[in-house]
Amino acid sequence: MELFLTLAYLFFIGSVLGWVLELVFRNLCHRSKKWINPGFCTGPYVPLYGFGLSILYLLASMEQQLPLPTPFWRTVAAIVIMGVAMTVLEYVAGILCLRIAKVRLWDYSGQWGNIQGIICPLFSLAWAVLGGVYDLFVHPHVESAMHALAQSRGFTFLVGLFFGVFLVDVGHSIQLTAKLKKFAEENAVILRYESIKAHIRAAQSNRALRFHFFTPFRSVHALSDHLRDMYTSPAKTSIPTKPWKRR
């Protein structure tokens, strides 16, 4: 039970912090003047990071059991394993979205050594660096921090509230994805999730209409109209778009 609660807390913390990281990365590193809510869900969380932080915790907890002679090499091996594990997680999530939902949440096609635009050496290295930061500086304090948080009824209530809202959000996002999948299959295309958000934002801006940050697919026009404008119009340039490279 204690492990379950710890992983639940870490999923919550990782998802929220991951959302912040993605928000900053997408909108500052790509020099966008418009802030776009990142990720698959509506709320301020990216589940991939929640799963990732939980995996990092489990791997770091098993570090001392690695059959290597010195702590240094056990740490090095653990960081490498973390980088590989996070890359595998990213690949599985990406391939499922492509094969099942016909949606691309991120695109590394422009990066050297990429595989299907889902993973690439550069971001695998970034995952390993994040794993190293967690292993060396965060994990030693996690056990005591999780124990302290477990004693806080307020935090436990917050985590419970998060999962309640999260599950409703996932249900809504699945319904939205089903609409996108239907359009993708009918038109034999792979949809770019973030590009659609950017397209809708540009369309709203061009008409001097409000763009809803946490509901980026909300528009005065039907979602199908935006999709047709993006993917079936001959020129495909009636509304300016800028595809994203990250989730």
Side-chain angles (χ1 to χ4, degrees):
M1 186 63 179
E2 182 178 348
L3 177 61
F4 173 79
L5 289 176
T6 298
L7 294 178
Y9 292 161
L10 291 174
F11 181 86
F12 162 68
I13 295 170
S15 296
V16 174
L17 292 180
W19 180 85
V20 174
L21 179 63
E22 285 290 328
L23 184 68
V24 173
F25 181 89
R26 290 172 191 258
N27 296 285
L28 294 186
C29 292
H30 288 195
R31 298 178 182 177
S32 172
K33 296 181 180 179
K34 304 294 184 181
W35 292 80
I36 302 290
N37 183 17
F40 171 76
C41 295
T42 298
Y45 35 77
V46 178
L48 181 67
Y49 285 89
F51 286 115
L53 184 57
S54 298
I55 290 173
L56 292 182
Y57 169 80
L58 294 174
L59 292 175
S61 298
M62 296 185 291
E63 179 179 326
Q64 298 307 315
Q65 301 174 20
L66 294 175
L68 293 170
T70 65
F72 172 79
W73 287 113
R74 284 196 291 270
T75 299
V76 170
I79 292 173
V80 172
I81 293 172
M82 288 175 182
V84 172
M86 293 298 293
T87 299
V88 171
L89 174 64
E90 185 174 41
Y91 182 79
V92 170
I95 202 68
L96 286 176
C97 289
L98 281 175
R99 298 288 174 82
I100 297 177
K102 309 300 181 184
V103 169
R104 184 180 288 278
L105 293 181
W106 62 90
D107 188 3
Y108 298 151
S109 298
Q111 299 292 334
W112 174 84
N114 77 87
I115 298 177
Q116 297 173 271
I118 300 174
I119 57 175
C120 70
L122 177 61
F123 284 97
S124 292
L125 177 61
W127 288 128
V129 170
L130 285 176
V133 171
Y134 172 83
D135 187 60
L136 295 174
F137 303 106
V138 179
H139 188 72
H141 308 287
V142 167
E143 293 288 356
S144 58
M146 290 298 102
H147 178 73
L149 291 176
Q151 306 307 311
S152 171
R153 292 185 179 180
F155 184 78
T156 301
F157 174 79
L158 178 62
V159 173
L161 180 63
F162 162 81
F163 276 101
V165 174
F166 173 72
L167 291 176
V168 173
D169 194 337
V170 169
H172 172 265
S173 298
I174 290 175
Q175 290 181 335
L176 175 62
T177 303
K179 296 179 182 179
L180 297 177
K181 178 182 179 181
K182 181 180 179 181
F183 178 89
E185 291 177 338
E186 290 175 348
N187 294 275
V189 295
I190 296 294
L191 305 181
R192 298 176 183 270
Y193 210 72
E194 302 303 325
S195 294
I196 298 171
K197 295 178 185 178
H199 181 95
I200 293 174
R201 173 148 203 164
Q204 294 289 98
S205 178
N206 288 344
R207 293 166 175 79
L209 298 173
R210 178 185 176 188
F211 176 77
H212 302 271
F213 179 79
F214 282 110
T215 52
F217 291 96
R218 183 178 175 183
S219 171
V220 294
H221 297 291
L223 177 60
S224 57
D225 292 337
H226 288 286
L227 295 176
R228 282 192 295 269
D229 187 71
M230 289 184 69
Y231 293 98
T232 63
S233 298
K236 299 181 183 178
T237 57
S238 59
I239 299 176
T241 63
K242 180 178 180 180
W244 300 98
K245 296 296 184 182
R246 284 284 289 162
R247 47 177 112 35

